[in-house]
Amino acid sequence: MAKAPVLTPRADDFPRWYQDLINKAELADNGPVRGTMVIRPYGYGLWERMQQEMDARIKEAGAQNAYFPLFIPQSYLTREAEHVEGFAPELAVVTHGGGKELEEPIVVRPTSETIVNDYFSKWVQSYRDLPLLINQWANVVRWEMRPRVFLRTTEFLWQEGHTAHATYEDARDYAAHIHEKVYADFMVEVLGIDVVLGRKTASERFAGAINTLTLEAMMGDGKALQMGTSHELGQNFAKAFHTRYLSKDGKQELVWQTSWGSSTRMLGGLIMSHGDDDGLRVPPRLASVQAVVLAIKGDDAVLAKVREIGDRLKAAGVRVRVDDRTDTPFGRRAVDWELKGVPVRIEVGPRDLENGTAMLARRIRGGKEPVAIDSLAALLPTVLEEDQALLLAQSRARRESRTVDVSTVEEAVEAAVAGGWARIPWADLGEEGEARLAEHAVTVRCLIAADGSVPDSDDSPGNVAVVGRAY
């Protein structure tokens, strides 16, 4: 009788495989309130690595970290009509506190544009105060009707950037810089996920923005996932909150603004982009554990050697974990680390010790081979970089092979339903075609220029719509 697989095969039931992997790899649990989640230590370790890599890029872009309150007066959201309309269905509202009904209801932060602008209007007085570049790492609450861990949860973790500029051009260029140099660089170079950079259509734009730039990735089942967005807010919030500055000419001017965010949704993207039927595959540059050294048996000499190997690898700059829990069967431990997607396993037993070798198991490329113990510290950095490049190549190959050029709405729907994306000239699709796509649960993920770059406007000649089904 065949042994039951540890995970539901992706080809049988992709959503079930996704949930199985989250549970078996000990990434997260469902929280006690519907739509919330508990991120377990291994999953949170991945989020911490994402934070570190992103935070360095954000600071390099000139932004500083700050923190704004979780509770926002409801009246703040009503000041920008489009913004409140867009978020109204998702709001969690506090009406009682300290045993009494509140004079004014309080909204639990869905995003912070309104409260940030209340303080920007105090902090910005002169052109000398600009640009003002702020980021915060926080949690937000958006009441989710169809929750799925990491992808759509009522409460999630993220970073949100908020900036104020003296000119439209400066704000536009900064939003584009975050889009490309912070988000795309991180997602491609660290997550190993191929992303398409584009601009959202008017119907998909962030509530209150004049332009939204997006990064779209294809998951293992061919659906799209929005990995991050960067918004040009124009002067909409500046008008609502009277955020003005004294120009060099001595005139009171409204600031131009941006906001931008990425979240724990990237963990879901990581799972669905790189995971396979054996579990997660973590990109080496991201991995909180790049290599695990396993003792096969509780032999004193073996235990001493795995600890020595761990020390050598750590000194060589490898993020390493020593697994000397020999009271747990070796096979079970090997499967657990495979599920967690640790890029490299180094397995050492008495026979290996006699030969001066260790068994090197590569999670991403697959396969095992004996390697001289003394060469491990020099070999591993090369192995990790090879496997990092392989994940990106596989991600790109999947998107390219499952994206087709079409000329009609019907062809676009057919491609999306079959588990892929379609490209169609925006001039042929337009808002009417976009509405017809929506009838089939297919959306325009973004608009790109004919050469694949980000277009300057929604109606730039030659714009192409990238369409598909999405999470």
Side-chain angles (χ1 to χ4, degrees), residues 183-201:
Y183 291 161
D185 184 76
F186 165 70
M187 291 167 192
V188 172
E189 298 299 328
V190 179
L191 295 186
I193 297 177
D194 179 64
V195 288
V196 172
L197 283 70
R199 63 186 288 141
K200 288 292 191 184
T201 62

mmCIF file of all heavy atoms in Angstrom, residues 183-201:
data_model
loop_
_atom_site.group_PDB
_atom_site.id
_atom_site.type_symbol
_atom_site.label_atom_id
_atom_site.label_comp_id
_atom_site.label_asym_id
_atom_site.label_seq_id
_atom_site.Cartn_x
_atom_site.Cartn_y
_atom_site.Cartn_z
ATOM 1 N N TYR A 183 11.161 48.004 -3.824
ATOM 2 C CA TYR A 183 10.325 46.810 -3.921
ATOM 3 C C TYR A 183 10.822 45.809 -4.957
ATOM 4 O O TYR A 183 11.037 44.631 -4.649
ATOM 5 C CB TYR A 183 8.877 47.196 -4.222
ATOM 6 C CG TYR A 183 8.162 47.893 -3.086
ATOM 7 C CD1 TYR A 183 7.020 48.644 -3.307
ATOM 8 C CD2 TYR A 183 8.614 47.786 -1.776
ATOM 9 C CE1 TYR A 183 6.345 49.274 -2.275
ATOM 10 C CE2 TYR A 183 7.960 48.411 -0.734
ATOM 11 C CZ TYR A 183 6.816 49.151 -0.993
ATOM 12 O OH TYR A 183 6.164 49.769 0.044
ATOM 13 N N ALA A 184 10.967 46.240 -6.200
ATOM 14 C CA ALA A 184 11.363 45.293 -7.247
ATOM 15 C C ALA A 184 12.735 44.705 -6.961
ATOM 16 O O ALA A 184 12.954 43.500 -7.137
ATOM 17 C CB ALA A 184 11.337 45.969 -8.615
ATOM 18 N N ASP A 185 13.656 45.539 -6.499
ATOM 19 C CA ASP A 185 14.995 45.041 -6.201
ATOM 20 C C ASP A 185 14.947 43.954 -5.129
ATOM 21 O O ASP A 185 15.586 42.909 -5.250
ATOM 22 C CB ASP A 185 15.896 46.191 -5.748
ATOM 23 C CG ASP A 185 17.327 45.744 -5.512
ATOM 24 O OD1 ASP A 185 18.058 45.546 -6.501
ATOM 25 O OD2 ASP A 185 17.719 45.573 -4.343
ATOM 26 N N PHE A 186 14.166 44.192 -4.085
ATOM 27 C CA PHE A 186 14.048 43.204 -3.011
ATOM 28 C C PHE A 186 13.389 41.923 -3.510
ATOM 29 O O PHE A 186 13.864 40.813 -3.245
ATOM 30 C CB PHE A 186 13.245 43.790 -1.847
ATOM 31 C CG PHE A 186 12.778 42.761 -0.860
ATOM 32 C CD1 PHE A 186 13.688 42.127 -0.028
ATOM 33 C CD2 PHE A 186 11.439 42.411 -0.777
ATOM 34 C CE1 PHE A 186 13.268 41.155 0.879
ATOM 35 C CE2 PHE A 186 11.007 41.452 0.125
ATOM 36 C CZ PHE A 186 11.932 40.818 0.953
ATOM 37 N N MET A 187 12.292 42.064 -4.242
ATOM 38 C CA MET A 187 11.538 40.884 -4.654
ATOM 39 C C MET A 187 12.314 40.017 -5.640
ATOM 40 O O MET A 187 12.275 38.787 -5.581
ATOM 41 C CB MET A 187 10.185 41.313 -5.227
ATOM 42 C CG MET A 187 9.261 41.869 -4.167
ATOM 43 S SD MET A 187 7.829 42.724 -4.841
ATOM 44 C CE MET A 187 7.209 43.545 -3.349
ATOM 45 N N VAL A 188 13.048 40.655 -6.533
ATOM 46 C CA VAL A 188 13.821 39.906 -7.520
ATOM 47 C C VAL A 188 15.114 39.372 -6.911
ATOM 48 O O VAL A 188 15.434 38.185 -7.024
ATOM 49 C CB VAL A 188 14.123 40.788 -8.749
ATOM 50 C CG1 VAL A 188 15.097 40.092 -9.699
ATOM 51 C CG2 VAL A 188 12.831 41.128 -9.487
ATOM 52 N N GLU A 189 15.872 40.247 -6.247
ATOM 53 C CA GLU A 189 17.212 39.881 -5.788
ATOM 54 C C GLU A 189 17.219 39.053 -4.505
ATOM 55 O O GLU A 189 18.147 38.282 -4.273
ATOM 56 C CB GLU A 189 18.059 41.148 -5.581
ATOM 57 C CG GLU A 189 18.280 41.952 -6.856
ATOM 58 C CD GLU A 189 19.010 41.166 -7.926
ATOM 59 O OE1 GLU A 189 19.852 40.318 -7.567
ATOM 60 O OE2 GLU A 189 18.733 41.383 -9.128
ATOM 61 N N VAL A 190 16.200 39.205 -3.657
ATOM 62 C CA VAL A 190 16.178 38.475 -2.384
ATOM 63 C C VAL A 190 15.118 37.379 -2.397
ATOM 64 O O VAL A 190 15.420 36.215 -2.104
ATOM 65 C CB VAL A 190 15.953 39.432 -1.194
ATOM 66 C CG1 VAL A 190 15.914 38.653 0.123
ATOM 67 C CG2 VAL A 190 17.063 40.474 -1.141
ATOM 68 N N LEU A 191 13.880 37.712 -2.738
ATOM 69 C CA LEU A 191 12.837 36.693 -2.767
ATOM 70 C C LEU A 191 12.992 35.741 -3.943
ATOM 71 O O LEU A 191 12.408 34.651 -3.944
ATOM 72 C CB LEU A 191 11.448 37.338 -2.810
ATOM 73 C CG LEU A 191 11.008 38.159 -1.593
ATOM 74 C CD1 LEU A 191 9.558 38.582 -1.750
ATOM 75 C CD2 LEU A 191 11.204 37.396 -0.306
ATOM 76 N N GLY A 192 13.731 36.158 -4.977
ATOM 77 C CA GLY A 192 13.886 35.306 -6.147
ATOM 78 C C GLY A 192 12.588 35.151 -6.918
ATOM 79 O O GLY A 192 12.360 34.129 -7.580
ATOM 80 N N ILE A 193 11.718 36.150 -6.844
ATOM 81 C CA ILE A 193 10.425 36.109 -7.526
ATOM 82 C C ILE A 193 10.427 37.115 -8.668
ATOM 83 O O ILE A 193 10.679 38.300 -8.472
ATOM 84 C CB ILE A 193 9.269 36.405 -6.549
ATOM 85 C CG1 ILE A 193 9.196 35.329 -5.467
ATOM 86 C CG2 ILE A 193 7.946 36.507 -7.291
ATOM 87 C CD1 ILE A 193 8.135 35.576 -4.410
ATOM 88 N N ASP A 194 10.135 36.625 -9.850
ATOM 89 C CA ASP A 194 10.043 37.486 -11.018
ATOM 90 C C ASP A 194 8.744 38.293 -10.921
ATOM 91 O O ASP A 194 7.666 37.716 -10.758
ATOM 92 C CB ASP A 194 10.026 36.616 -12.271
ATOM 93 C CG ASP A 194 9.910 37.417 -13.542
ATOM 94 O OD1 ASP A 194 10.837 38.196 -13.832
ATOM 95 O OD2 ASP A 194 8.884 37.278 -14.243
ATOM 96 N N VAL A 195 8.842 39.609 -10.974
ATOM 97 C CA VAL A 195 7.653 40.454 -10.873
ATOM 98 C C VAL A 195 7.522 41.337 -12.106
ATOM 99 O O VAL A 195 8.514 41.727 -12.718
ATOM 100 C CB VAL A 195 7.677 41.351 -9.611
ATOM 101 C CG1 VAL A 195 7.435 40.516 -8.363
ATOM 102 C CG2 VAL A 195 8.981 42.116 -9.486
ATOM 103 N N VAL A 196 6.282 41.622 -12.464
ATOM 104 C CA VAL A 196 5.987 42.568 -13.538
ATOM 105 C C VAL A 196 5.665 43.909 -12.901
ATOM 106 O O VAL A 196 4.801 44.002 -12.028
ATOM 107 C CB VAL A 196 4.804 42.084 -14.396
ATOM 108 C CG1 VAL A 196 4.389 43.161 -15.393
ATOM 109 C CG2 VAL A 196 5.175 40.807 -15.139
ATOM 110 N N LEU A 197 6.373 44.950 -13.322
ATOM 111 C CA LEU A 197 6.143 46.303 -12.823
ATOM 112 C C LEU A 197 5.200 47.020 -13.778
ATOM 113 O O LEU A 197 5.443 47.042 -14.995
ATOM 114 C CB LEU A 197 7.452 47.080 -12.720
ATOM 115 C CG LEU A 197 8.380 46.764 -11.539
ATOM 116 C CD1 LEU A 197 9.006 45.382 -11.700
ATOM 117 C CD2 LEU A 197 9.481 47.815 -11.438
ATOM 118 N N GLY A 198 4.131 47.584 -13.230
ATOM 119 C CA GLY A 198 3.188 48.298 -14.079
ATOM 120 C C GLY A 198 2.379 49.289 -13.277
ATOM 121 O O GLY A 198 2.640 49.515 -12.092
ATOM 122 N N ARG A 199 1.383 49.875 -13.919
ATOM 123 C CA ARG A 199 0.486 50.811 -13.233
ATOM 124 C C ARG A 199 -0.927 50.240 -13.261
ATOM 125 O O ARG A 199 -1.331 49.563 -14.203
ATOM 126 C CB ARG A 199 0.549 52.215 -13.839
ATOM 127 C CG ARG A 199 0.123 52.345 -15.258
ATOM 128 C CD ARG A 199 0.375 53.752 -15.797
ATOM 129 N NE ARG A 199 -0.520 54.753 -15.253
ATOM 130 C CZ ARG A 199 -0.144 55.995 -14.935
ATOM 131 N NH1 ARG A 199 1.107 56.369 -15.123
ATOM 132 N NH2 ARG A 199 -1.013 56.846 -14.443
ATOM 133 N N LYS A 200 -1.656 50.499 -12.194
ATOM 134 C CA LYS A 200 -3.028 50.027 -12.088
ATOM 135 C C LYS A 200 -3.950 50.868 -12.973
ATOM 136 O O LYS A 200 -3.696 52.057 -13.215
ATOM 137 C CB LYS A 200 -3.509 50.104 -10.636
ATOM 138 C CG LYS A 200 -2.884 49.069 -9.694
ATOM 139 C CD LYS A 200 -3.345 47.665 -10.029
ATOM 140 C CE LYS A 200 -2.961 46.675 -8.951
ATOM 141 N NZ LYS A 200 -3.330 45.288 -9.315
ATOM 142 N N THR A 201 -5.034 50.248 -13.430
ATOM 143 C CA THR A 201 -6.065 51.006 -14.122
ATOM 144 C C THR A 201 -6.815 51.859 -13.105
ATOM 145 O O THR A 201 -6.686 51.669 -11.891
ATOM 146 C CB THR A 201 -7.052 50.073 -14.830
ATOM 147 O OG1 THR A 201 -7.701 49.256 -13.840
ATOM 148 C CG2 THR A 201 -6.342 49.177 -15.842
#
